[in-house]
Amino acid sequence: MNKKTVFIGFIIGLITTLVGITIYTIFIGLKLNLPTQDITNKLLSTSVIGKRASIGVLLNIPVFYYFLHYKKEDYAKGLLIAIVLVALIFILNTL
């Protein structure tokens, strides 16, 4: 197990989660015809971040299968670590 590739997979997992949260928030904001400022406020709001994060993590699924398909298991391990870390953070945040 190469620690550098696991770390890169971890960073990729965090970035894709943040991108997924952003895309989801913008999509819902545009669907509800919200002004740009309200969409930005919702994006930065922490009240429902757990719900948005659970949708945002779905963007990691194709990345995970990409890593497995091209035999990059260490990257996939890092991606899974990022997913578990995000889940634990939001579970502990709700307590």
Side-chain angles (χ1 to χ4, degrees):
M1 180 169 84
N2 189 353
K3 291 182 182 180
K4 181 180 178 182
T5 56
V6 172
F7 181 71
I8 292 171
F10 176 76
I11 297 299
I12 290 171
L14 292 179
I15 290 171
T16 54
T17 301
L18 292 175
V19 168
I21 291 169
T22 305
I23 290 172
Y24 174 71
T25 305
I26 290 172
F27 178 74
I28 295 299
L30 292 175
K31 187 173 173 90
L32 296 174
N33 294 324
L34 294 175
T36 308
Q37 186 174 3
D38 287 347
I39 295 173
T40 307
N41 290 339
K42 283 189 180 285
L43 188 60
L44 299 175
S45 169
T46 59
S47 61
V48 291
I49 191 80
K51 295 175 185 175
R52 284 183 275 154
S54 63
I55 300 295
V57 169
L58 292 176
L59 193 60
N60 286 327
I61 294 172
V63 178
F64 179 73
Y65 282 113
Y66 172 82
F67 287 151
L68 289 182
H69 181 71
Y70 289 104
K71 308 271 190 247
K72 300 193 182 284
E73 286 87 8
D74 289 340
Y75 289 105
K77 287 177 191 175
L79 190 75
L80 285 176
I81 292 169
I83 291 171
V84 169
L85 181 70
V86 168
L88 287 175
I89 288 171
F90 291 115
I91 287 172
L92 293 175
N93 190 26
T94 59
L95 295 178

